[in-house]
Amino acid sequence: MSIKLSSGKEIPIEMHKTRMVQKVRLSPVEERLKAIEEAGYNTFLLKTKDIFLDMLTDSGVNAMSDNQFAALMKVDDAYAGSMTFYELAEAVEDILGLKHVMNVHQGRAAEHLIAKVFAKPGDIVPTNYHFTTTKAHIELAGAAVLEIYMDEALKTKSTYLFKGNMDPQKLRNAIKKYGKDKIAFVRMELTANLLGGQPFSMENLKEIRRICTEHRIILVLDGSLICENAYLIRQREKGYGNKTVAEIVKEICSLGDLFYMSGRKNTCVRGGLIATNNQELFDKIKPWLPVYEGFFTYGGMSMREIGAMAVGMREMVDPDVAGCAVEQIKYFVKRLDETGVPVVTPPGGLACHLDAMKFLPHVPQSQYPAGALAAALYIVSGIRSMERGTISMDRDKEGKEVFADLELTRIALPRRVYTISHIEYAIDRINWLYKNRNLIKGLKFVSEPPVLRFFLGKLEALDNWEKDFSEAFKKELGDY
Ligand code: F0G
């Protein structure tokens, strides 16, 4: 939650206490420069010993609760038929209202199975916006993603509260154009990650549900960030202010045919799941589970993680859990917006996103401004962020660059991990970056994998901009 101080200032406040800690180190700028060079200007390739605040992602790095740690210890380890799996199934039914569930090792494994079973070569998958791994699996199945977002979605500075909405008219047009038999399924992502963690409204979901029902098309929900979306619906959508996050989560799930999630975010563990009330759809996927993931009652996850997931599933709808990142992000974004730093507004449910095209207008997309900004942020702060722009898009079949709709540098907030002083530090260093933005130039690839290149690709700084840039930092702020 956020709390109003007597000065009138509003701050996010942690509704938990820290009883176990992990030491972090802030290395001097010279060391950071060396580390990013060795990592090929790719923050994925940094080692955590060189990182001060790891804001790469909120995936698999959230703080578990005391009850989750307790659950790790009392699992029923069995290859088949573990009672721990049935504890999770009960939690899924109670919280999501879905009767059938299978675990998978993480979210992309769910995407693999769903794409494999429901998408054929030549099919189309309309979505409010793609996610990197989703797109890869849909394309590997021979189908194509069709982005159907609202026009407002690509405006990084906006007051539109639901930039994750799908445009219903464009969906109708697409069904008409391709024919309903060519639509493998419609996919709605909560909250739309690559748009800047932007939520969709319940009203929009209901409308998309109606269209899918009318044309008998399967509606798939990617619920990796369902609780943040529900929390934002509660804060922003008329008629939902008096509902609980738990009620909203259930209502969302009741509107999909198939639900999947990466459990690495909301449930604060490492794993994923697919769930549904539709037995027929479930039975189509189930035979493939032991082929790719593992037997039905573990699906590639460790039983310990399934035990912790069962607890995390019940805890994730607590507004203090669902809202902890949202409130920190709101504060983070507001403070930067106030000083004129180009950030994605309104704040979303995943991270603070810098708009790299506005931040570095002198760096063309072909020189990867969002990647350059992530590298620069690391050099001046030891903070690891993530490029979410053209580097995160793969080349097309002819090898041509596909420019991303948005060039974002994402500074994610893992749940219950960082404090307001960490955020203050990040705000200060981003302001310094903005003042010195002209010293930042582009990047170029020196080694480029053919698929999901952002994970393992290596780049270098054009014209060695990092030299003058780090010198300017040292001159003003010293080693740290
Ligand atoms: N769907 C969404 C909306 C996601 O954000 C992610 C992962 C996945 C699917 C895939 O799940 O990682 O468990 O296989 N997002 C992470 C991120 C990686 O950093 O945003 P996964």
Side-chain angles (χ1 to χ4, degrees):
M1 64 186 259
S2 281
I3 202 143
K4 216 178 230 156
L5 301 181
S6 42
S7 65
K9 186 178 172 184
E10 201 175 308
I11 57 163
I13 195 135
E14 292 82 2
M15 297 305 287
H16 48 264
K17 55 187 176 183
T18 313
R19 290 171 57 239
M20 192 165 102
V21 296
Q22 183 180 10
K23 198 167 161 40
V24 287
R25 174 176 171 261
L26 176 59
S27 57
V29 62
E30 275 304 322
E31 262 185 51
R32 300 194 301 247
L33 190 58
K34 200 159 156 258
I36 197 74
E37 276 170 359
E38 277 172 18
Y41 285 80
N42 180 348
T43 54
F44 276 97
L45 301 181
L46 288 166
K47 296 189 178 119
T48 54
K49 73 174 177 55
D50 299 316
I51 293 166
F52 175 41
L53 306 179
D54 196 357
M55 296 177 166
L56 179 78
T57 178
D58 65 332
S59 169
V61 288
N62 299 290
M64 294 205 302
S65 68
D66 45 1
N67 286 320
Q68 286 187 287
F69 276 107
L72 289 180
M73 301 308 293
K74 61 174 197 58
V75 295
D76 176 21
D77 250 322
Y79 189 94
S82 164
M83 290 316 293
T84 304
F85 169 75
Y86 292 103
E87 270 171 40
L88 172 69
E90 222 176 281
V92 168
E93 184 158 5
D94 288 349
I95 302 299
L96 305 180
L98 302 174
K99 285 196 191 66
H100 310 291
V101 62
M102 63 178 89
N103 282 109
V104 288
H105 78 273
Q106 60 184 88
R108 68 200 68 183
E111 292 168 339
H112 170 217
L113 293 175
I114 291 170
K116 181 177 175 58
V117 172
F118 298 106
K120 297 183 304 300
D123 279 357
I124 301 289
V125 178
T127 179
N128 54 341
Y129 210 71
H130 77 277
F131 184 67
T132 51
T133 54
T134 328
K135 187 163 188 273
H137 282 297
I138 288 169
E139 289 176 357
L140 285 169
V145 164
L146 182 68
E147 320 267 18
I148 305 193
Y149 45 81
M150 307 296 288
D151 294 340
E152 200 68 28
L154 300 185
K155 292 186 190 143
T156 52
K157 196 167 173 63
S158 165
T159 52
Y160 191 72
L161 296 177
F162 293 105
K163 289 200 283 183
N165 281 355
M166 181 178 276
D167 188 324
Q169 193 48 48
K170 287 188 199 152
L171 177 62
R172 286 186 188 281
N173 296 347
I175 297 170
K176 214 174 191 173
K177 178 171 170 197
Y178 296 102
K180 82 172 182 62
D181 294 338
K182 279 268 170 241
I183 311 277
F185 53 85
V186 169
R187 172 181 178 274
M188 290 288 279
E189 183 178 302
L190 306 113
T191 63
N193 187 325
L194 299 186
L195 292 176
Q198 297 295 315
F200 58 68
S201 68
M202 193 72 85
E203 190 192 3
N204 183 250
L205 180 60
K206 284 183 182 162
E207 177 75 32
I208 301 305
R209 171 72 271 170
R210 272 194 291 275
I211 299 171
C212 289
T213 304
E214 205 179 294
H215 295 91
R216 306 181 68 176
I217 296 170
I218 300 167
L219 177 55
V220 175
L221 301 178
D222 177 341
S224 302
L225 287 144
I226 187 170
C227 292
E228 283 74 14
N229 202 124
Y231 189 87
L232 288 165
I233 285 178
R234 184 170 187 269
Q235 285 190 335
R236 295 179 184 176
E237 189 164 352
K238 228 173 114 212
Y240 284 88
N242 290 328
K243 298 221 166 161
T244 62
V245 173
E247 285 166 340
I248 299 170
V249 161
K250 233 184 213 164
E251 185 174 348
I252 291 169
C253 290
S254 74
L255 293 166
D257 296 306
L258 257 185
F259 175 93
Y260 75 90
M261 74 191 288
S262 165
R264 297 167 61 85
K265 294 176 183 265
N266 277 186
T267 61
C268 300
V269 297
R270 288 128 297 252
L273 59 80
I274 300 174
T276 177
N277 277 331
N278 186 320
Q279 176 100 48
E280 198 187 321
L281 297 182
F282 193 70
D283 287 347
K284 282 190 177 154
I285 304 172
K286 199 171 166 182
W288 294 104
L289 189 65
V291 178
Y292 291 103
E293 297 295 305
F295 186 70
F296 176 60
T297 53
Y298 76 93
M301 283 179 66
S302 97
M303 287 320 304
R304 285 178 189 269
E305 295 281 345
I306 294 179
M309 187 185 236
V311 176
M313 177 68 54
R314 294 186 188 278
E315 290 179 347
M316 73 182 189
V317 291
D318 176 338
D320 291 331
V321 179
C324 63
V326 178
E327 295 298 341
Q328 286 190 328
I329 293 162
K330 188 166 93 185
Y331 179 81
F332 199 164
V333 167
K334 182 167 175 272
R335 291 284 310 282
L336 288 170
D337 195 33
E338 278 165 4
T339 53
V341 175
V343 277
V344 173
T345 57
L350 163 67
C352 169
H353 292 81
L354 306 177
D355 179 342
M357 282 201 269
K358 286 191 190 148
F359 205 112
L360 304 175
H362 53 283
V363 179
Q365 273 191 290
S366 56
Q367 295 176 7
Y368 313 125
L373 191 53
L377 176 61
Y378 172 72
I379 295 169
V380 299
S381 66
I383 295 173
R384 169 156 75 166
S385 60
M386 186 191 288
E387 193 271 1
R388 293 279 79 157
T390 296
I391 297 177
S392 297
M393 300 289 290
D394 287 332
R395 289 178 188 270
D396 67 13
K397 287 193 188 93
E398 280 80 50
K400 277 211 293 292
E401 198 69 90
V402 178
F403 293 121
D405 293 324
L406 296 171
E407 291 287 339
L408 304 179
T409 302
R410 179 182 96 174
I411 309 152
L413 271 296
R415 293 160 191 80
R416 298 179 292 204
V417 174
Y418 294 118
T419 62
I420 197 160
S421 52
H422 291 129
I423 295 173
E424 287 295 341
Y425 170 75
I427 291 167
D428 179 79
R429 290 304 189 258
I430 292 166
N431 274 311
W432 189 91
L433 271 186
Y434 194 54
K435 270 195 245 121
N436 292 277
R437 60 191 178 277
N438 288 335
L439 296 172
I440 306 169
K441 294 188 187 157
L443 303 174
K444 79 164 198 253
F445 266 105
V446 288
S447 126
E448 188 179 337
V451 62
L452 297 180
R453 62 181 181 172
F454 63 92
F455 281 128
L456 296 169
K458 289 199 156 191
L459 303 99
E460 65 185 22
L462 289 168
D463 306 329
N464 298 323
W465 60 259
E466 79 286 1
K467 302 268 179 322
D468 288 349
F469 174 73
S470 52
E471 279 310 316
F473 176 82
K474 263 199 289 190
K475 213 162 134 199
E476 196 175 329
L477 290 163
D479 283 342
Y480 301 98

